Short mmCIF file of all heavy atoms in Angstrom, two decimals:
data_model
loop_
_atom_site.label_atom_id
_atom_site.label_comp_id
_atom_site.label_asym_id
_atom_site.label_seq_id
_atom_site.Cartn_x
_atom_site.Cartn_y
_atom_site.Cartn_z
N VAL A 19 -25.09 8.72 4.25
CA VAL A 19 -25.42 9.11 2.88
C VAL A 19 -25.13 10.59 2.70
O VAL A 19 -25.21 11.38 3.64
CB VAL A 19 -26.91 8.84 2.55
CG1 VAL A 19 -27.18 7.35 2.51
CG2 VAL A 19 -27.82 9.52 3.54
N ASN A 20 -24.76 10.95 1.47
CA ASN A 20 -24.56 12.35 1.11
C ASN A 20 -23.55 13.09 1.99
O ASN A 20 -23.80 14.20 2.44
CB ASN A 20 -25.89 13.11 1.12
CG ASN A 20 -26.87 12.51 0.13
OD1 ASN A 20 -26.47 12.04 -0.92
ND2 ASN A 20 -28.15 12.50 0.48
N VAL A 21 -22.43 12.47 2.28
CA VAL A 21 -21.37 13.15 3.01
C VAL A 21 -20.39 13.68 1.97
O VAL A 21 -19.69 12.92 1.34
CB VAL A 21 -20.65 12.20 3.99
CG1 VAL A 21 -19.53 12.93 4.71
CG2 VAL A 21 -21.65 11.62 4.98
N PRO A 22 -20.35 15.00 1.77
CA PRO A 22 -19.50 15.57 0.72
C PRO A 22 -18.02 15.27 0.96
O PRO A 22 -17.52 15.39 2.08
CB PRO A 22 -19.75 17.08 0.81
CG PRO A 22 -20.84 17.28 1.78
CD PRO A 22 -21.06 16.02 2.52
N GLY A 23 -17.32 14.85 -0.10
CA GLY A 23 -15.88 14.65 -0.04
C GLY A 23 -15.42 13.38 0.62
O GLY A 23 -14.22 13.17 0.79
N LEU A 24 -16.32 12.51 1.03
CA LEU A 24 -15.90 11.29 1.71
C LEU A 24 -16.16 10.08 0.83
O LEU A 24 -17.27 9.83 0.39
CB LEU A 24 -16.65 11.13 3.04
CG LEU A 24 -16.28 9.91 3.87
CD1 LEU A 24 -14.82 10.02 4.34
CD2 LEU A 24 -17.19 9.78 5.07
N ASP A 25 -15.11 9.34 0.55
CA ASP A 25 -15.20 8.08 -0.18
C ASP A 25 -15.03 6.98 0.86
O ASP A 25 -13.92 6.67 1.28
CB ASP A 25 -14.09 8.02 -1.23
CG ASP A 25 -14.09 6.72 -2.01
OD1 ASP A 25 -14.80 5.76 -1.61
OD2 ASP A 25 -13.38 6.66 -3.02
N LEU A 26 -16.14 6.42 1.31
CA LEU A 26 -16.10 5.47 2.43
C LEU A 26 -15.19 4.28 2.19
O LEU A 26 -14.49 3.83 3.09
CB LEU A 26 -17.52 4.98 2.76
CG LEU A 26 -18.45 6.01 3.35
CD1 LEU A 26 -19.84 5.41 3.53
CD2 LEU A 26 -17.91 6.52 4.67
N ILE A 27 -15.18 3.76 0.99
CA ILE A 27 -14.37 2.59 0.70
C ILE A 27 -12.88 2.91 0.79
O ILE A 27 -12.11 2.19 1.42
CB ILE A 27 -14.69 2.03 -0.71
CG1 ILE A 27 -16.17 1.65 -0.82
CG2 ILE A 27 -13.79 0.85 -1.04
CD1 ILE A 27 -16.60 0.57 0.15
N ASN A 28 -12.46 4.02 0.18
CA ASN A 28 -11.03 4.33 0.12
C ASN A 28 -10.52 5.12 1.32
O ASN A 28 -9.33 5.05 1.63
CB ASN A 28 -10.73 5.13 -1.16
CG ASN A 28 -10.93 4.29 -2.39
OD1 ASN A 28 -10.61 3.11 -2.38
ND2 ASN A 28 -11.46 4.88 -3.43
N ASP A 29 -11.37 5.88 2.01
CA ASP A 29 -10.90 6.77 3.06
C ASP A 29 -11.08 6.24 4.48
O ASP A 29 -10.52 6.80 5.42
CB ASP A 29 -11.62 8.12 2.97
CG ASP A 29 -11.27 8.87 1.70
OD1 ASP A 29 -10.27 8.52 1.06
OD2 ASP A 29 -12.02 9.80 1.34
N LEU A 30 -11.83 5.18 4.68
CA LEU A 30 -12.15 4.74 6.04
C LEU A 30 -10.90 4.38 6.84
O LEU A 30 -10.74 4.82 7.97
CB LEU A 30 -13.12 3.56 6.02
CG LEU A 30 -13.56 3.07 7.40
CD1 LEU A 30 -14.23 4.19 8.18
CD2 LEU A 30 -14.48 1.88 7.26
N ALA A 31 -9.99 3.59 6.28
CA ALA A 31 -8.80 3.19 7.03
C ALA A 31 -7.96 4.41 7.41
O ALA A 31 -7.48 4.51 8.54
CB ALA A 31 -7.96 2.21 6.21
N LEU A 32 -7.80 5.33 6.51
CA LEU A 32 -7.05 6.55 6.79
C LEU A 32 -7.74 7.37 7.88
O LEU A 32 -7.10 7.86 8.81
CB LEU A 32 -6.88 7.39 5.53
CG LEU A 32 -6.19 8.75 5.73
CD1 LEU A 32 -4.76 8.54 6.24
CD2 LEU A 32 -6.19 9.53 4.44
N GLU A 33 -9.05 7.50 7.79
CA GLU A 33 -9.78 8.29 8.78
C GLU A 33 -9.69 7.65 10.16
O GLU A 33 -9.53 8.34 11.17
CB GLU A 33 -11.25 8.45 8.37
CG GLU A 33 -11.45 9.22 7.09
CD GLU A 33 -10.82 10.60 7.12
OE1 GLU A 33 -10.83 11.25 8.18
OE2 GLU A 33 -10.30 11.03 6.09
N LEU A 34 -9.78 6.34 10.24
CA LEU A 34 -9.65 5.66 11.52
C LEU A 34 -8.24 5.82 12.08
O LEU A 34 -8.04 6.00 13.28
CB LEU A 34 -10.03 4.19 11.40
CG LEU A 34 -11.49 3.92 11.06
CD1 LEU A 34 -11.73 2.43 10.91
CD2 LEU A 34 -12.42 4.51 12.10
N SER A 35 -7.24 5.77 11.20
CA SER A 35 -5.86 5.96 11.62
C SER A 35 -5.64 7.36 12.15
O SER A 35 -4.99 7.57 13.18
CB SER A 35 -4.92 5.68 10.44
OG SER A 35 -3.59 5.83 10.82
N VAL A 36 -6.19 8.35 11.48
CA VAL A 36 -6.08 9.74 11.94
C VAL A 36 -6.79 9.90 13.28
O VAL A 36 -6.28 10.58 14.19
CB VAL A 36 -6.65 10.70 10.88
CG1 VAL A 36 -6.80 12.11 11.44
CG2 VAL A 36 -5.75 10.71 9.66
N ALA A 37 -7.94 9.28 13.44
CA ALA A 37 -8.67 9.37 14.71
C ALA A 37 -7.85 8.75 15.84
O ALA A 37 -7.77 9.31 16.94
CB ALA A 37 -10.02 8.67 14.59
N ASP A 38 -7.21 7.61 15.59
CA ASP A 38 -6.35 6.98 16.59
C ASP A 38 -5.17 7.87 16.92
O ASP A 38 -4.81 8.04 18.08
CB ASP A 38 -5.85 5.62 16.11
CG ASP A 38 -6.92 4.55 16.17
OD1 ASP A 38 -7.91 4.74 16.89
OD2 ASP A 38 -6.75 3.52 15.51
N ALA A 39 -4.54 8.45 15.91
CA ALA A 39 -3.39 9.32 16.12
C ALA A 39 -3.80 10.54 16.94
O ALA A 39 -3.06 10.97 17.84
CB ALA A 39 -2.78 9.75 14.79
N ALA A 40 -4.96 11.10 16.65
CA ALA A 40 -5.42 12.26 17.39
C ALA A 40 -5.65 11.91 18.86
O ALA A 40 -5.29 12.68 19.76
CB ALA A 40 -6.71 12.81 16.77
N LEU A 41 -6.22 10.75 19.12
CA LEU A 41 -6.44 10.31 20.50
C LEU A 41 -5.11 10.13 21.23
O LEU A 41 -4.92 10.61 22.34
CB LEU A 41 -7.25 9.01 20.52
CG LEU A 41 -7.47 8.40 21.90
CD1 LEU A 41 -8.25 9.35 22.80
CD2 LEU A 41 -8.18 7.07 21.78
N PHE A 42 -4.16 9.44 20.59
CA PHE A 42 -2.84 9.26 21.19
C PHE A 42 -2.15 10.60 21.40
O PHE A 42 -1.52 10.81 22.44
CB PHE A 42 -1.97 8.34 20.33
CG PHE A 42 -2.15 6.89 20.63
CD1 PHE A 42 -2.96 6.11 19.81
CD2 PHE A 42 -1.54 6.30 21.72
CE1 PHE A 42 -3.14 4.77 20.08
CE2 PHE A 42 -1.71 4.96 22.00
CZ PHE A 42 -2.52 4.19 21.18
N ALA A 43 -2.23 11.49 20.44
CA ALA A 43 -1.60 12.80 20.57
C ALA A 43 -2.16 13.54 21.78
O ALA A 43 -1.40 14.17 22.53
CB ALA A 43 -1.79 13.61 19.30
N LEU A 44 -3.45 13.46 21.98
CA LEU A 44 -4.07 14.13 23.12
C LEU A 44 -3.57 13.53 24.43
O LEU A 44 -3.22 14.25 25.37
CB LEU A 44 -5.59 14.02 23.02
CG LEU A 44 -6.38 14.72 24.12
CD1 LEU A 44 -6.08 16.22 24.11
CD2 LEU A 44 -7.86 14.47 23.94
N VAL A 45 -3.51 12.22 24.51
CA VAL A 45 -3.03 11.55 25.73
C VAL A 45 -1.58 11.92 26.00
O VAL A 45 -1.20 12.22 27.13
CB VAL A 45 -3.21 10.02 25.61
CG1 VAL A 45 -2.49 9.29 26.73
CG2 VAL A 45 -4.68 9.65 25.60
N ILE A 46 -0.75 11.90 24.96
CA ILE A 46 0.66 12.24 25.12
C ILE A 46 0.81 13.69 25.56
O ILE A 46 1.57 14.01 26.47
CB ILE A 46 1.44 11.96 23.81
CG1 ILE A 46 1.44 10.46 23.53
CG2 ILE A 46 2.86 12.49 23.88
CD1 ILE A 46 1.83 10.10 22.11
#
Side-chain angles (χ1 to χ4, degrees):
V19 292
N20 300 325
V21 178
L24 181 65
D25 178 348
L26 291 176
I27 301 299
N28 293 322
D29 294 343
L30 182 59
L32 176 62
E33 296 304 324
L34 294 178
S35 181
V36 169
D38 285 342
L41 176 62
F42 273 100
L44 182 61
V45 170
I46 294 164

